Amino acid sequence: MDRRAFSLSLLGLLASTALVRAEEAVFLDYTRDTLDNAYDQRVWAPDAQQIIARYARDSEEVRKRFPPRTERYGSREAETLDIFAPAGARALPVMVFIHGGAWRALGSKDASAPAPTFIENGCLYVALNFDNIPAVRLPEMVDQCRRAMVWIAGNIAAFGGDPGRIYLSGHSSGAHIAGVLLTTDWAAHGGAPDLVKGGLVMSGMYDLYPVMLSARSSYVKITPEELAALSAMRHLDQVRCDMIVVNGDRESPEFKRQSQVFASALAGMGRLTARLELAGKNHFEVPEALNDPASAVSKATLQMMKG
């Protein structure tokens, strides 16, 4: 074999080896490309943008019908929350909602639509606002939400809420944050150990290890220690309340797996109130179940809050 033929053969071997390596599994049976797709819900929901626009439109309509009280829980511009309460509210259970948006989009103004389900059924509804990436890092986002929860516990009675009956919900990246808060040692953050009485997590991520192997690591910058601290599955010893776990049956396989693993762990602890997979619903449609008081999600949630 002459030098040119040998060089071409060697280049071909190297290219073939690189291709094999590129197709090697990086997590379970996922290659890097398939894992990226598994954590990109827009691949699985082509109408995502229209649904997200619907969040804002429906929320605006609700805000016209039921103007909220906007209060500040911190000094940063984004550290506000919207409180929706029925007339004459007094010592009512409180549902706090953490919006999604891949940790880098949306806000409380996009999360008003579920309010009527709660205020028309004798509850308060609170939509949290906080900074998104890149204004802050993920650990700071979680810290903002923790401080908001402590503020709510200390102040919600003035708005007709019962500080002894605070519940927490979230969707997508908001469900991730809710999961972290639901596995928080509240005494270490200035709150009562049982600050949160129950949780509803929808289409969330409860272990960040595979998430950080995907393309999301390009904008979510955390250390290995922060990854562990911000993974609810690694802090199940801190669970102090029952939870409802929800996802849609048209979500990506990784979001389904994350929900199933988290629900199974809670069930084994006797902490799973309900496990719901919504037929025909993609990732972005799931939180809209809370807009309908007759949905299975709303019924299970209201029962948890009033049971």
Side-chain angles (χ1 to χ4, degrees), residues 41-158:
Q41 285 293 344
R42 292 170 189 261
V43 172
W44 307 83
D47 56 349
Q49 201 55 50
Q50 296 95 305
I51 299 169
I52 292 170
R54 196 160 68 213
Y55 295 170
R57 184 176 65 249
D58 292 349
S59 290
E60 183 179 3
E61 289 301 312
V62 165
R63 296 173 74 83
K64 289 177 182 177
R65 291 168 50 209
F66 304 100
R69 284 281 301 270
T70 300
E71 297 292 327
R72 180 166 295 283
Y73 66 85
S75 60
R76 291 181 63 87
E77 182 179 355
E79 293 179 346
T80 62
L81 47 81
D82 293 334
I83 303 171
F84 296 82
R90 184 175 180 180
L92 299 180
V94 181
M95 175 54 76
V96 181
F97 183 82
I98 304 178
H99 69 79
W103 298 295
R104 57 180 178 174
L106 305 182
S108 59
K109 299 298 185 288
D110 302 293
S112 303
T117 291
F118 295 95
I119 62 178
E120 292 177 349
N121 284 281
C123 303
L124 269 64
Y125 177 79
V126 180
L128 290 192
N129 201 62
F130 44 89
D131 285 301
N132 293 322
I133 294 171
V136 297
R137 297 173 61 248
L138 182 54
E140 283 73 46
M141 294 172 69
V142 171
D143 179 65
Q144 287 180 309
C145 291
R146 281 182 173 135
R147 288 190 287 106
M149 294 299 290
V150 173
W151 186 97
I152 290 167
N155 293 275
I156 201 63

Side-chain angles (χ1 to χ4, degrees), residues 274-298:
R275 169 77 178 103
L276 302 171
E277 183 164 271
L278 307 186
K281 300 298 182 183
N282 66 40
H283 180 81
F284 301 96
E285 294 169 320
V286 168
E288 294 184 310
L290 282 180
N291 301 357
D292 177 8
S295 73
V297 176
S298 294

Side-chain angles (χ1 to χ4, degrees), residues 247-289:
N247 66 272
D249 73 351
R250 291 174 55 203
E251 299 201 47
S252 79
E254 258 303 275
F255 274 74
K256 289 182 181 180
R257 186 193 66 80
Q258 288 256 9
S259 290
Q260 187 54 51
V261 170
F262 192 50
S264 295
L266 293 172
M269 301 168 62
R271 288 296 193 181
L272 184 67
T273 294
R275 169 77 178 103
L276 302 171
E277 183 164 271
L278 307 186
K281 300 298 182 183
N282 66 40
H283 180 81
F284 301 96
E285 294 169 320
V286 168
E288 294 184 310

Side-chain angles (χ1 to χ4, degrees), residues 200-276:
L200 165 66
V201 289
M202 299 179 285
S203 308
M205 295 157 284
Y206 312 106
D207 187 345
L208 291 184
Y209 176 73
V211 183
M212 292 299 101
L213 295 176
S214 78
R216 292 201 180 206
S217 64
S218 66
Y219 65 89
V220 181
K221 302 298 185 182
I222 55 176
T223 67
E225 293 77 18
E226 289 168 337
L227 183 155
L230 299 174
S231 293
M233 277 295 297
R234 306 188 187 200
H235 302 281
L236 295 174
D237 59 311
Q238 293 295 334
V239 173
R240 298 286 183 268
C241 63
D242 293 345
M243 300 185 212
I244 300 167
V245 180
V246 181
N247 66 272
D249 73 351
R250 291 174 55 203
E251 299 201 47
S252 79
E254 258 303 275
F255 274 74
K256 289 182 181 180
R257 186 193 66 80
Q258 288 256 9
S259 290
Q260 187 54 51
V261 170
F262 192 50
S264 295
L266 293 172
M269 301 168 62
R271 288 296 193 181
L272 184 67
T273 294
R275 169 77 178 103
L276 302 171

